[in-house]
Structures are given as C-alpha cells and as structure tokens.
Amino acid sequence: MFDSWLPESKDHLPLTWWKQHPIYLAAFVALAGAASMVVFAILGVMPMVSWFSFSVGALQEWKLWTLFTYAFVNAPDFWTLVSCYLLWRFGEAVERHLGRRIFAQLLVLLLLSSPVMITLLHLAGVRGMGAAGIRQLDFAVFVAFATLYPRAQINMIIVTIDAWVLASILVAIDALQWIAFRQWTMLLLLAVNVGAAYLFIRYQKGELSLPSFSFPKRAAKSTRAAARPATKQPNKKGSTTPTVDDILDKISHQGMQSLTPEERRILDQASDQMNRR
C-alpha cells in the first residue's frame, strides 16, 4: 500500500501541478491545516476537540485516528495560517531534498512524538495532557529544515539570519517561557519534538547511525551493499563520476546514510548552487 501511494519512481517528483507550479506533499498537508480552520468554525469547538484532538482518554475509547488528526484541530487564527504557509515553504524544501517517502516518514515521526510522550507521562502519573493544533508540527519541520540547510539565509525583513541561528533562538525562547512558568512537561514535549526532527535529519544525512540487531552474516551483507559507491558503475554518459540523479536514486533506495564522502560533496555543491540562484 505504501508503494502504491508513494512509488519510488516518483519519489522526487511533485504530486501534481497547478498553473505550471509543482505541488508537493508538504503543500497538501499545509492546505489541510488551513482548511481545518474552516471545518472548526462549521462544526464548533466541542465536536472538534472531542473527536479529533489527542488525549489518553481518546486512546482508551479507541479513537486511534486522533494520533494524527490532532494536528488539524485549529481554531480560525491568523498565526495558524502563517504556520501553514511556513510548513508549506520549509516542508517543501525538505521534501525536495530527501524525497517524498522519507519526508512522509518524517511527518509520521513528528506527529507521533507528542502523543507517545503524553502517553508515557500519563503512565508516570502526569494526567490531563493533550495535543491539538498544527504549530508544533510546523515548528519541528522548520527545525528539520535548519538541520538540513543550516546556512540557508532567512530574510527577517530588517535582518537576514542563518537558519540554524534562527532555529536556536526560537527553541531557546520557547524553552525559557516554559521554564519561567515551571511547565516542565511542556518543556519535555518541546525537547521531544525538536530532538525528533534534529536526529531524524542527521540520520538521513549519514551523520548518525542506528545499532544493528541483525545476524552477523546478514549485517555484513547489508554493510557491503551500503558501502558500494555509486562511482563503481558508469552513468548514462559513460563517466565514472556520479551525477546528482545517480545520487538521488541511491538515496531513494538506501537512504542518505549510505552516501560516500565524495557523493555527499557533490550533493552539497549542487545544493549550494541552487541556494545561490
């Protein structure tokens, strides 16, 4: 089912086009967030909170869909609309770099991080917490963007600032606010959301690795396959140097952690050239 929805052959292509503009998965998620404000206004507060926001009580009632739908419980608000726009812009940049399949995995991880932590806190005796709204998802996607493109220039109207600096400032401000109000559980949720986005991108970039629990022979075979550089096979032009298309194809099959230093250098150069444009 996953392959039928997100086929590998179209991993780096837009889902559709609108007036010659490519539309990616991030745009559909942002559009759903904006549309949820209209649904909220039509249905009212209680139906939306009762049926779509996440809480441990909702899980106990087998409302499993709330693990994902809580992000689309949004009251009409200007800043929520801004969050949806930022989710579209920064999410699209991440999706175009990593591919739609990996970006979908990132979204699922970010959506599940808060419900999982709230459930664990409930088991530890911290009751009454819930999750609703798209702003946490938007903020985590921006952290993912800043981790992927730390030197990207963000125009703040009066000043231009590196993405990693802006992300660090925003995280620090949120953390200080929760510390000031002694909201330790909210501080923990912030750490979980930011940490999930940061670690996921670093893993996809090949800067982190997960421990392997495979049998020795299978692990050795997997290691040899992952270590096989793309330069061993000539590309369509007959050159032994991998092209960007070769590297993107390898990422879609084996992930960014499989890239060699040379392949990462070529990909970084291509990204720098795109940023200059």
Side-chain angles (χ1 to χ4, degrees), residues 118-129 185:
I118 290 172
T119 303
L120 293 176
L121 290 172
H122 179 86
L123 295 175
V126 181
R127 308 298 168 86
M129 297 187 64
T185 54

Side-chain angles (χ1 to χ4, degrees), residues 151-171:
R151 297 294 180 180
Q153 299 291 295
I154 307 296
N155 189 350
M156 302 293 292
I157 301 178
I158 60 175
V159 66
T160 300
I161 190 172
D162 287 348
W164 76 270
V165 176
L166 179 59
S168 300
I169 292 173
L170 294 177
V171 170

Side-chain angles (χ1 to χ4, degrees), residues 1 27 42 47 61 70 87 111 122 179 212 223 228 237 262:
M1 183 175 67
I42 295 173
E61 296 175 3
Y70 74 88
L87 173 61
L111 285 171
H122 179 86
I179 292 173
S212 176
T223 302
R228 188 182 299 122
K237 297 181 180 180
E262 176 65 16

Side-chain angles (χ1 to χ4, degrees), residues 5-274:
W5 288 357
L6 304 174
E8 289 189 15
S9 60
K10 299 181 179 180
D11 199 36
H12 289 271
L13 298 177
L15 283 173
T16 186
W17 295 78
W18 184 72
K19 294 184 177 180
Q20 299 182 344
H21 294 286
I23 307 298
Y24 289 84
L25 176 61
F28 280 97
V29 176
L31 182 62
S36 69
M37 294 189 291
V38 179
V39 177
F40 190 102
I42 295 173
L43 296 182
V45 177
M46 292 308 298
M48 289 294 291
V49 172
S50 175
W51 285 98
F52 300 107
S53 64
F54 173 81
S55 66
V56 176
L59 282 185
Q60 294 172 343
E61 296 175 3
W62 292 99
K63 297 177 181 178
L64 301 182
W65 60 85
T66 60
L67 291 167
F68 302 97
T69 59
Y70 74 88
F72 303 102
V73 179
N74 297 286
D77 181 78
F78 173 76
W79 292 111
T80 300
L81 187 63
V82 172
S83 294
C84 292
Y85 175 76
L86 296 178
L87 173 61
W88 168 35
R89 302 303 296 175
F90 293 120
E92 182 178 295
V94 175
E95 180 181 352
R96 293 177 69 172
H97 186 97
L98 298 178
R100 188 179 306 125
R101 293 162 66 93
I102 297 179
F103 181 70
Q105 295 173 17
L106 173 63
L107 291 180
V108 171
L109 173 65
L110 297 178
L111 285 171
L112 290 178
S113 59
S114 289
V116 169
M117 180 53 59
I118 290 172
T119 303
L120 293 176
L121 290 172
H122 179 86
L123 295 175
V126 181
R127 308 298 168 86
M129 297 187 64
I134 202 169
R135 294 190 186 182
Q136 284 186 341
L137 178 63
D138 162 56
F139 186 66
V141 168
F142 175 69
V143 171
F145 171 83
T147 307
L148 188 61
Y149 297 108
R151 297 294 180 180
Q153 299 291 295
I154 307 296
N155 189 350
M156 302 293 292
I157 301 178
I158 60 175
V159 66
T160 300
I161 190 172
D162 287 348
W164 76 270
V165 176
L166 179 59
S168 300
I169 292 173
L170 294 177
V171 170
I173 291 174
D174 275 0
L176 290 174
Q177 286 179 341
W178 297 129
I179 292 173
F181 289 103
R182 302 300 186 261
Q183 294 288 334
W184 309 117
T185 54
M186 297 304 298
L187 182 64
L188 181 58
L189 284 177
L190 173 66
V192 168
N193 282 285
V194 171
Y198 175 75
L199 294 176
F200 182 88
I201 295 299
R202 288 204 59 192
Y203 172 75
Q204 293 300 330
K205 291 173 67 176
E207 299 173 353
L208 293 177
S209 60
L210 296 177
S212 176
F213 298 99
S214 303
F215 291 105
K217 291 184 179 180
R218 294 183 62 186
K221 182 179 179 180
S222 176
T223 302
R224 288 196 300 271
R228 188 182 299 122
T231 55
K232 294 299 183 181
Q233 298 180 355
N235 55 32
K236 296 180 181 179
K237 297 181 180 180
S239 172
T240 58
T241 302
T243 65
V244 174
D245 289 338
D246 295 332
I247 297 173
L248 292 177
D249 184 65
K250 184 176 181 181
I251 292 173
S252 67
H253 287 83
Q254 302 178 22
M256 287 196 65
Q257 68 275 9
S258 65
L259 298 184
T260 64
E262 176 65 16
E263 291 164 353
R264 291 197 189 96
R265 183 186 63 80
I266 295 174
L267 194 61
D268 289 340
Q269 288 180 348
S271 299
D272 292 340
Q273 292 176 358
M274 293 181 62

